[in-house]
Structure formats: C-alpha cells, structure tokens
Amino acid sequence: MMSDANDPLFQSYRLGSLELPNRLIMSPLTRSRATQPGDVPSMMNAEYYRQRAGVGLIISEATQVSPQGKGYAFTPGIHSDAQVDGWRLVTDAVHEAGGHIHLQLWHVGRISRPELQPNGDTPVAPSPIRPIGAKTFISAESGMVDILEPRALEAAEIPGVVEQFRHGAKNARRAGFDGVEIHAANGYLIDQFLRSGSNQRSDEFGGSVENRLRLPLMIVDAVIEVWGADRVGIRLSPTGSFNDMKDHDPLATYGEFAKRLNERGIAYVEVVEDSFQGNHADGRPEDIIDAIRAGYKGTYIANGGYDAEQARRRLAEGRCDLVSFGRPMISNPDLVERLRGDAPLNEWDANTFYGGDEHGYTDYPTLTDQARMRSRA
Ligand code: PHB
C-alpha cells in the first residue's frame, strides 16, 4: 500500500478558493430520485451526498435551471424556492461532514418531451434536428420513449435562456453551494449549440466556431457575474456521441473554447474523455486533450471510465490535476477510504441507477458496515 505522502490521489489541491484534501472528485450523476412534487430534493438525497462527502469535491447531479430545461422525470430543479430549500438540506449535510459541493446547472434543450414541458410545449434546440436513437422517460410507467423533432429557438429568445442560467446560479448561492458547474456536455442544450451536428443555424449563434461559442460564452459570463470565476467550472464532452452528438472538427471547436475559458479564468474544466459511461472507442482522445490544455491553463479534471491505477498514472504524468469518478462513487460511498487502503470495491447495480428509493442509492455498504456484518456472521 502506498502512503498518502507518495500517492498522487492523496495530494491536497487548491481549486480556486477551495482547499481539497485529495484529488478525487464525485462526477455529476443523474439518479432520478427527486420524487417529491415540484422536483424538490429531500432528506434521502441529502443522506446520499453526505455519505460521499469524503471526496475533494462533489459535483451534484444535473439540475434543471428552468421548467423548460427539464428532460427526464424525477430530476431536481434549482428554479423554485422549494427546490432551494431542498438543496439546502443537501449542502448542510455535506458541509457538516466536512465536504465541498458544486451544483451542476443544466438545460436539456432538445432532450425532452412535450409531456415534461410547461404547457406541453415542443422542446427547444439550436436547430430542428431530431437526435436519432436518443431517449428519455416521462414517468415511472412510461419506460424509455423517443425524442422528437425540437423547435429552433428564435434569436430573440436567446437572452432568456441566459437568464435561466443566471437565475439557477443565483439560487445555487442561496442554497449554500460552494460553486457551480455549467453542464456543456453529453448532448444537452449548450453542447447542442457548440457542435456542428446539432447546430445548423445561419444567424450569429451558428456556423463558424466563433458563432457556435457565442451562447455558451454568454452563459459562462452570466454565471461568472453571479459567482466569480473561481467558483465556476464547466463540463465538456468533445468526443461524446451520446444523444446523437457529433462535430465536424472537435479540435477546432474545443481548442478555441478552451482559450476563451482561459481568458475568463474559470476554476476548472471537467472533460469526459470517452463517449459516455466508459466507452472508449480508441483510447482517450489525446490530441483533443492536448488542444484543451494548450488553450486552458487552469485546473483540468479528467473523467470517463477511470479506475484508481489509471487515475494515479494520469495524475503522475501531469495529464490531469484531478480525476472524477462516476459509477464507482454510486456503489462505494467510502470510495476515498477504499482507494487509500487498496480495498476491494462494491460492484454497481445498473438496474438501480435511475429512479426508485433508498435501494441502490443510500444502502451500499462502507468497509465499516461490511466488517460489522462479518463479525456478526
Ligand atoms: C441522463 O439522465 O441519462 C443523463 C443526464 C445527464 C448527463 C448524461 C446522462 O450528462
């Protein structure tokens, strides 16, 4: 076993104005357990995050900034007062346990359904392009249903979208978060504007890289106005194909975006270095990682199918500053202690990722729980 002093995972790190005790981050994870009316977080959600507060930073599950930004049943929001009160349960629990937590600000764009939208409206997107094969679920009973063709946002509606993010960012402050992460990945609204496969606009919000970056940067600037740059991160998925995403030149798109983010001095970029859920077509996209790191000099959080050994290696090689873990965090509330001791990890149960109750959510055992069970047997 490595001592903490020699272990790249257990070096402390200054992230903006936060002092992190280790390099482990909990990545944003949709769990679809905001089952109270009004998409309001509960004590059950607070307990889940509290159990995982030993990481350097928790990034919350994706959280809609507005009713229009909602795309799945049972995902939480940050647009109403009741949601702010619900999130306060979460931030208090994490802080009492000594942890840090950012809220992930989310607008799904076209990945929604009229059944989930105010007044049964058609979901909005940069362009009226249906994502082939993309699905969501609209109720506990519905199962997965297809995404339909969205409506293109009018240019005059764009400032309103920026205001949705500003409102979410302000509410995240009221709810006691340590900062926010802007969700610009995985085929949701910001990503739909960034990448050429989903953005075929001919106005100032589409076409050239500069135009495709315009709305994303307007949102970044609005959120910085609320939080200060050192409390703002962003999640990117330059090679992700989830939700039928593609870009004809990701090196150009993300290289330029990285430079613009660097000018603004945000706290970090978190990069999904695979397609989604650990699917590596061809290893990690080293050329795109290089382009992002050449443009953006701040903190780089690597994400996507990492295990402890890979994380240690990439940290030691200077390929990243922090590593975020998703599925291992679901099944190991004490992942930090397990990695410190090279202890075996609990397997995750994919059947309980989305929706349901405490089972598969707050009932994964810690090492201490398991030792107690063994001594009873
Ligand atoms: C999902 O609910 O499936 C989901 C949400 C946010 C992501 C990815 C997947 O970034």
Side-chain angles (χ1 to χ4, degrees), residues 30 72 106 183 186 188 242 276 354:
T30 290
Y72 302 83
W106 192 32
H183 192 344
N186 296 340
Y188 299 107
F242 179 62
F276 183 61
Y354 303 109

mmCIF file of all heavy atoms in Angstrom, residues 30 72 106 183 186 188 242 276 354, ligand 1:
data_model
loop_
_atom_site.group_PDB
_atom_site.id
_atom_site.type_symbol
_atom_site.label_atom_id
_atom_site.label_comp_id
_atom_site.label_asym_id
_atom_site.label_seq_id
_atom_site.Cartn_x
_atom_site.Cartn_y
_atom_site.Cartn_z
ATOM 1 N N THR A 30 -26.869 11.600 -12.774
ATOM 2 C CA THR A 30 -28.337 11.601 -12.727
ATOM 3 C C THR A 30 -28.815 10.340 -12.026
ATOM 4 O O THR A 30 -28.464 9.238 -12.413
ATOM 5 C CB THR A 30 -28.908 11.680 -14.155
ATOM 6 O OG1 THR A 30 -28.651 12.981 -14.674
ATOM 7 C CG2 THR A 30 -30.410 11.431 -14.167
ATOM 8 N N TYR A 72 -36.206 14.846 -18.050
ATOM 9 C CA TYR A 72 -36.448 13.491 -17.548
ATOM 10 C C TYR A 72 -37.331 13.609 -16.311
ATOM 11 O O TYR A 72 -37.225 14.584 -15.557
ATOM 12 C CB TYR A 72 -35.143 12.817 -17.103
ATOM 13 C CG TYR A 72 -34.075 12.691 -18.158
ATOM 14 C CD1 TYR A 72 -33.215 13.755 -18.438
ATOM 15 C CD2 TYR A 72 -33.897 11.505 -18.867
ATOM 16 C CE1 TYR A 72 -32.211 13.642 -19.393
ATOM 17 C CE2 TYR A 72 -32.890 11.381 -19.825
ATOM 18 C CZ TYR A 72 -32.055 12.454 -20.082
ATOM 19 O OH TYR A 72 -31.064 12.339 -21.022
ATOM 20 N N TRP A 106 -28.097 22.895 -15.535
ATOM 21 C CA TRP A 106 -28.464 22.050 -16.689
ATOM 22 C C TRP A 106 -29.675 22.594 -17.418
ATOM 23 O O TRP A 106 -30.676 22.961 -16.798
ATOM 24 C CB TRP A 106 -28.799 20.674 -16.124
ATOM 25 C CG TRP A 106 -28.964 19.509 -17.041
ATOM 26 C CD1 TRP A 106 -28.349 19.255 -18.218
ATOM 27 C CD2 TRP A 106 -29.791 18.353 -16.760
ATOM 28 N NE1 TRP A 106 -28.737 18.017 -18.696
ATOM 29 C CE2 TRP A 106 -29.611 17.442 -17.824
ATOM 30 C CE3 TRP A 106 -30.643 17.996 -15.718
ATOM 31 C CZ2 TRP A 106 -30.267 16.206 -17.878
ATOM 32 C CZ3 TRP A 106 -31.284 16.763 -15.764
ATOM 33 C CH2 TRP A 106 -31.101 15.885 -16.830
ATOM 34 N N HIS A 183 -23.159 22.650 -17.223
ATOM 35 C CA HIS A 183 -23.221 21.396 -17.995
ATOM 36 C C HIS A 183 -23.211 21.742 -19.486
ATOM 37 O O HIS A 183 -24.222 22.144 -20.053
ATOM 38 C CB HIS A 183 -24.488 20.632 -17.633
ATOM 39 C CG HIS A 183 -24.521 19.217 -18.131
ATOM 40 N ND1 HIS A 183 -23.676 18.739 -19.109
ATOM 41 C CD2 HIS A 183 -25.300 18.157 -17.773
ATOM 42 C CE1 HIS A 183 -23.943 17.454 -19.321
ATOM 43 N NE2 HIS A 183 -24.924 17.080 -18.527
ATOM 44 N N ASN A 186 -22.514 16.080 -23.175
ATOM 45 C CA ASN A 186 -23.476 14.971 -23.311
ATOM 46 C C ASN A 186 -24.742 15.262 -24.100
ATOM 47 O O ASN A 186 -25.780 14.633 -23.878
ATOM 48 C CB ASN A 186 -23.826 14.412 -21.923
ATOM 49 C CG ASN A 186 -22.617 13.800 -21.237
ATOM 50 O OD1 ASN A 186 -21.639 13.465 -21.904
ATOM 51 N ND2 ASN A 186 -22.650 13.669 -19.928
ATOM 52 N N TYR A 188 -26.716 17.990 -24.318
ATOM 53 C CA TYR A 188 -27.759 18.882 -23.813
ATOM 54 C C TYR A 188 -27.594 20.280 -24.424
ATOM 55 O O TYR A 188 -26.774 20.467 -25.317
ATOM 56 C CB TYR A 188 -27.763 18.842 -22.274
ATOM 57 C CG TYR A 188 -28.056 17.419 -21.821
ATOM 58 C CD1 TYR A 188 -27.062 16.606 -21.271
ATOM 59 C CD2 TYR A 188 -29.304 16.851 -22.065
ATOM 60 C CE1 TYR A 188 -27.327 15.267 -20.937
ATOM 61 C CE2 TYR A 188 -29.573 15.521 -21.734
ATOM 62 C CZ TYR A 188 -28.585 14.741 -21.174
ATOM 63 O OH TYR A 188 -28.850 13.427 -20.868
ATOM 64 N N PHE A 242 -23.115 10.244 -27.197
ATOM 65 C CA PHE A 242 -24.392 10.060 -26.505
ATOM 66 C C PHE A 242 -25.360 11.169 -26.936
ATOM 67 O O PHE A 242 -24.960 12.315 -27.122
ATOM 68 C CB PHE A 242 -24.121 10.138 -24.992
ATOM 69 C CG PHE A 242 -25.321 9.985 -24.112
ATOM 70 C CD1 PHE A 242 -26.071 8.819 -24.107
ATOM 71 C CD2 PHE A 242 -25.685 11.007 -23.251
ATOM 72 C CE1 PHE A 242 -27.176 8.683 -23.266
ATOM 73 C CE2 PHE A 242 -26.784 10.878 -22.405
ATOM 74 C CZ PHE A 242 -27.532 9.713 -22.417
ATOM 75 N N PHE A 276 -19.291 7.935 -23.398
ATOM 76 C CA PHE A 276 -20.258 8.065 -22.300
ATOM 77 C C PHE A 276 -20.272 6.732 -21.589
ATOM 78 O O PHE A 276 -20.287 5.691 -22.218
ATOM 79 C CB PHE A 276 -21.667 8.396 -22.809
ATOM 80 C CG PHE A 276 -22.689 8.607 -21.690
ATOM 81 C CD1 PHE A 276 -22.523 9.624 -20.769
ATOM 82 C CD2 PHE A 276 -23.784 7.779 -21.573
ATOM 83 C CE1 PHE A 276 -23.445 9.823 -19.748
ATOM 84 C CE2 PHE A 276 -24.713 7.972 -20.555
ATOM 85 C CZ PHE A 276 -24.544 8.998 -19.641
ATOM 86 N N TYR A 354 -31.215 4.708 -12.020
ATOM 87 C CA TYR A 354 -32.203 5.761 -12.271
ATOM 88 C C TYR A 354 -33.532 5.427 -11.613
ATOM 89 O O TYR A 354 -34.119 4.381 -11.873
ATOM 90 C CB TYR A 354 -32.436 5.932 -13.772
ATOM 91 C CG TYR A 354 -31.183 6.249 -14.559
ATOM 92 C CD1 TYR A 354 -30.613 5.310 -15.409
ATOM 93 C CD2 TYR A 354 -30.561 7.492 -14.437
ATOM 94 C CE1 TYR A 354 -29.459 5.607 -16.135
ATOM 95 C CE2 TYR A 354 -29.410 7.782 -15.154
ATOM 96 C CZ TYR A 354 -28.864 6.841 -16.005
ATOM 97 O OH TYR A 354 -27.731 7.129 -16.716
HETATM 98 C C1 PHB B 1 -29.223 11.012 -18.116
HETATM 99 O O1 PHB B 1 -30.164 11.334 -17.377
HETATM 100 O O2 PHB B 1 -29.227 9.955 -18.750
HETATM 101 C C2 PHB B 1 -28.065 11.906 -18.220
HETATM 102 C C3 PHB B 1 -28.100 13.146 -17.636
HETATM 103 C C4 PHB B 1 -27.007 13.982 -17.741
HETATM 104 C C5 PHB B 1 -25.904 13.562 -18.445
HETATM 105 C C6 PHB B 1 -25.863 12.328 -19.015
HETATM 106 C C7 PHB B 1 -26.948 11.494 -18.908
HETATM 107 O O3 PHB B 1 -24.871 14.372 -18.585
#
